[in-house]
Amino acid sequence: FALVSVGSEMCIRDSIGGVIQADFLFTDEISLFSVINHSAVISLHRANTWRNLPITYMGVSPDVEADDTQAGTLYKQTLTIRLKRTGVTDSELHILRTINVRGCVVRCKDANGNIQLYGSKEYPLLGTVIEKTGTKASDLSGIEATFSGKGAYPPLPVTEL
């Protein structure tokens, strides 16, 4: 279990299990984004949907660092996500590669059913996408997507409208 500070409240979270599902959305596909009671509230433009990231087993490594400045706290968020190459078409890979210019938010669900949103419309995540090939027979090959950015909030629980 982990004791986590959310604003002025302290919460106990079960820390067993990692991310089991991840998907992303470009920030230009979001019609409404707000933070209410330490939770992200999001609404998508009508024709848009979340894009699934076919993660590998133990394929998501989130990292969040708080940086206290005179202007307040900034949160550096980094997600390294290893993807199954067979789960990504060439067309999807081309779209995914545009995260370095379009900016996005990433939604992660853990084994306990908790959903966290990384990035925001105002502070999007940018990133890189690299195809990796293992050097040994036991190495995994696939795609490694790295999303990172700084923002005013840590990863937040998310509510969709």
Side-chain angles (χ1 to χ4, degrees):
F1 291 93
L3 191 59
V4 178
S5 172
V6 179
S8 62
E9 300 177 19
M10 295 299 280
C11 303
I12 295 179
R13 290 200 183 152
D14 184 348
S15 59
I16 297 173
V19 173
I20 60 169
Q21 181 181 343
D23 37 27
F24 78 101
L25 185 69
F26 291 112
T27 53
D28 59 13
E29 299 171 326
I30 298 171
S31 63
L32 169 86
F33 187 96
S34 186
V35 176
I36 301 171
N37 294 328
H38 310 293
S39 180
V41 178
I42 190 168
S43 178
L44 314 183
H45 289 297
R46 181 171 286 192
N48 296 304
T49 59
W50 290 92
R51 290 178 178 82
N52 181 51
L53 294 166
I55 61 176
T56 61
Y57 174 72
M58 302 290 287
V60 180
S61 300
D63 183 43
V64 180
E65 295 177 16
D67 183 18
D68 292 322
T69 68
Q70 289 181 338
T73 304
L74 281 178
Y75 297 91
K76 181 180 180 189
Q77 302 178 24
T78 304
L79 287 160
T80 301
I81 302 177
R82 286 163 294 288
L83 307 171
K84 300 173 193 167
R85 180 59 180 107
T86 56
V88 181
T89 67
D90 289 340
S91 173
E92 291 167 335
L93 182 58
H94 175 72
I95 291 168
L96 182 59
R97 287 186 193 279
T98 64
I99 62 172
N100 64 332
V101 292
R102 285 182 74 184
C104 64
V105 295
V106 177
R107 182 176 66 175
C108 294
K109 180 179 180 181
D110 69 19
N112 296 310
N114 301 312
I115 299 173
Q116 297 286 314
L117 187 72
Y118 292 79
S120 69
K121 187 167 182 162
E122 294 79 20
Y123 299 99
L125 302 178
L126 297 173
T128 58
V129 178
I130 300 168
E131 289 191 68
K132 292 192 142 196
T133 303
T135 56
K136 299 181 288 191
S138 61
D139 289 345
L140 295 176
S141 294
I143 299 168
E144 185 173 276
T146 301
F147 302 83
S148 64
K150 286 186 177 182
Y153 305 102
L156 296 168
V158 63
T159 302
E160 281 190 60
L161 299 177

